[in-house]
Amino acid sequence: MELFLKVLLIIFSIGVITAVLLQEGKSAGLTGAISGGAEHLFGKAKARGMELVLERITIGVATGFFILSIAVAIVMD
């Protein structure tokens, strides 16, 4: 069981890394952080198409990674 969870954790970690690296950058540098950062924060710029799919995949895989990390820590103890 422990080995299975560790292998699954490695797969999820590779999935998180891949999903994050496939996403496009959403920052406009320092100027965007100061003046236009609130637009992204409150959702005025909605993601569509592939961006939305990657965002949802990232959330799902990251959640799975977090849960698996806790499960591995409990099993190891």
Side-chain angles (χ1 to χ4, degrees), residues 6 11 13 15 17-19 21-22 25 28-29 31 33 38 43 46-47 51 56 59-61 64 66 71-72 76-77:
K6 286 182 180 180
I11 292 171
S13 65
I17 292 169
T18 304
L21 288 177
L22 285 175
T31 306
K46 293 185 180 179
E51 290 179 19
R56 289 183 178 167
I59 291 170
V61 174
F66 181 73
V72 168
M76 293 282 293
D77 196 25

Side-chain angles (χ1 to χ4, degrees), residues 18-72:
T18 304
V20 168
L21 288 177
L22 285 175
Q23 292 182 7
E24 293 183 19
K26 295 182 181 176
S27 67
L30 186 58
T31 306
I34 294 172
S35 63
E39 292 179 7
H40 294 289
L41 181 64
F42 296 114
K44 290 184 180 176
K46 293 185 180 179
R48 297 186 188 267
M50 192 61 169
E51 290 179 19
L52 181 62
V53 171
L54 281 174
E55 182 179 334
R56 289 183 178 167
I57 288 173
T58 304
I59 291 170
V61 174
T63 304
F65 176 78
F66 181 73
I67 292 169
L68 277 173
S69 298
I70 293 172
V72 168

